[in-house]
Amino acid sequence: MAESTFKSGFVAIIGRPNVGKSTLLNRIVGEKIAIMSDKAQTTRNKIQGIYTTDNAQVVFIDTPGVHKPQNSLGNFMVKSAFSALHEADAIWFVVDASMPRGRGDDFIISRLNEVTETPMYLLINKVDLIAREELLAIIESYQVDAPTWTEVFPISATEGDNVPELLDNVVSHLDEGPQYFDADQLTDHPERFVIGELIREKVLQLTRQEVPHSVAVVIDKIAREDEEKIHIQASIIVERPTQKNIIIGKQGTMIKNIGTRARKDIERLMGDKVFLETWVKVEPRWRDRPQALQTLGYNEENY
């Protein structure tokens, strides 16, 4: 019998903020590698998640939600999102079934219309939040002035509905290719990056107002203390002293809560006990300072 061919390729996941792109990626790889919250613009960098079977390897590029930029960080995020379109062998455009098509969707579709000869999927996510009879009208609304979709998939990233079928379908459209990563590797990002994102996720989940968008996290140190514990030191960066006070909280309650929740996720990630130390530092207007953006890992020159 002839050996079956191995397929591989890159799939870009693009859409407005909060449509469920990171939830979908985490569902596919089976671990939390992209952080989630109910805040817009949670994802700031392109996150690559790796899905491997005996016959295929798909590298998914989860992109920042496309929005109207308000600062240099926002510009970086939008450039990062659209740059993925030219790296991909297939594109997944994710929309929220519970929200009508809006100007943000129109903007993304206008850019998708510029991409040729790449399989393009329309994913109607969060179908668990709508009545079944509403689905046809939603799909039809995304046919106007849009690319000819290779496939249209109603899915629920949260519940997993139709996700296995979606994966099988995208693999069928990929060409024969190499295995880029080890079979047990789930992301191309180093542990240091993922740990920083897990800490930032807790800040997003626990704070309100202007704080979430002004926060960055730097991992200062990762060192094994002994066979049973890893010591991690992290700095939470904000723009104003008032934000620092919010994150620290009354008698340190907020920063303690952030650390406790983050530590649990980090221990699951690393499979070991973790001692996590966090500090809060003020870097005025870091989101508009090119040097600060580069230091914190948001380098516009890459795009």
Side-chain angles (χ1 to χ4, degrees):
M1 292 179 63
E3 291 186 8
S4 60
T5 58
F6 191 88
K7 291 186 169 187
S8 64
F10 293 77
V11 175
I13 308 174
I14 195 165
R16 288 193 296 176
N18 282 352
V19 295
K21 301 183 299 298
S22 296
T23 304
L24 177 59
L25 180 63
N26 291 340
R27 163 72 61 177
I28 289 168
V29 302
E31 293 284 349
K32 181 187 286 187
I33 61 168
I35 68 172
M36 300 176 293
S37 82
D38 59 358
K39 311 293 192 304
Q41 304 160 38
T42 296
T43 300
R44 288 176 175 169
N45 301 75
K46 289 185 294 186
I47 311 292
Q48 289 194 170
I50 304 160
Y51 170 78
T52 307
T53 67
D54 291 339
N55 302 311
Q57 185 172 83
V58 188
V59 182
F60 291 96
I61 309 168
D62 179 25
T63 62
V66 176
H67 62 286
K68 186 175 181 179
Q70 302 294 327
N71 46 50
S72 296
L73 175 61
N75 288 329
F76 163 84
M77 292 163 64
V78 173
K79 287 180 181 179
S80 175
F82 285 127
S83 73
L85 300 182
H86 305 288
E87 305 169 10
D89 300 297
I91 296 169
W92 287 358
F93 174 42
V94 185
V95 301
D96 183 342
S98 66
M99 300 290 290
R101 175 172 166 173
R103 287 183 296 178
D105 297 306
D106 294 340
F107 178 52
I108 296 170
I109 287 172
S110 71
R111 297 294 293 268
L112 294 178
N113 281 324
E114 298 172 4
V115 181
T116 58
E117 300 180 2
T118 302
M120 205 149 326
Y121 289 62
L122 173 65
L123 306 188
I124 312 289
N125 190 27
K126 306 186 184 182
V127 293
D128 51 307
L129 301 181
I130 64 166
R132 180 173 297 182
E133 57 267 23
E134 298 177 65
L135 183 58
L136 182 58
I138 295 170
I139 293 173
E140 289 177 345
S141 73
Y142 284 96
Q143 307 286 8
V144 181
D145 298 324
T148 301
W149 306 113
T150 304
E151 301 284 353
V152 177
F153 268 85
I155 64 168
S156 170
T158 301
E159 302 297 327
D161 298 346
N162 230 12
V163 174
E165 293 80 3
L166 172 62
L167 286 169
D168 289 342
N169 188 281
V170 77
V171 168
S172 74
H173 282 91
L174 295 178
D175 294 328
E176 183 178 351
Q179 181 173 315
Y180 295 100
F181 300 94
D182 292 340
D184 59 353
Q185 189 170 344
L186 300 181
T187 180
D188 68 324
H189 281 288
E191 283 182 340
R192 183 177 293 265
F193 172 86
V194 180
I195 290 168
E197 287 289 270
L198 291 174
I199 296 170
R200 187 167 67 90
E201 178 186 59
K202 306 314 170 192
V203 177
L204 297 181
Q205 292 173 348
L206 292 170
T207 62
R208 294 289 183 269
Q209 299 173 338
E210 83 284 0
V211 174
H213 299 302
S214 303
V215 168
V217 176
V218 176
I219 303 301
D220 302 307
K221 174 184 175 182
I222 301 178
R224 178 168 289 281
E225 285 191 338
D226 50 46
E227 293 183 0
E228 297 181 352
K229 186 173 290 185
I230 298 170
H231 185 188
I232 298 174
Q233 295 177 331
S235 297
I236 299 172
I237 311 298
V238 294
E239 292 186 314
R240 294 194 289 275
T242 52
Q243 296 167 344
K244 178 178 179 178
N245 293 338
I246 291 171
I247 290 179
I248 293 174
K250 187 176 181 181
Q251 296 180 335
T253 53
M254 178 64 78
I255 192 69
K256 182 178 180 181
N257 198 4
I258 291 168
T260 299
R261 294 191 182 195
R263 178 178 52 76
K264 291 178 181 178
D265 275 357
I266 296 168
E267 288 180 339
R268 278 193 289 269
L269 172 72
M270 305 191 78
D272 228 328
K273 292 291 184 182
V274 168
F275 172 52
L276 176 63
E277 287 186 288
T278 54
W279 291 269
V280 186
K281 300 178 181 178
V282 177
E283 291 282 350
R285 298 183 62 252
W286 69 262
R287 288 178 294 172
D288 273 316
R289 289 165 42 215
Q291 185 175 355
L293 287 172
Q294 186 163 352
T295 300
L296 295 170
Y298 308 116
N299 187 359
E300 286 193 274
E301 292 178 2
N302 293 337
Y303 308 103

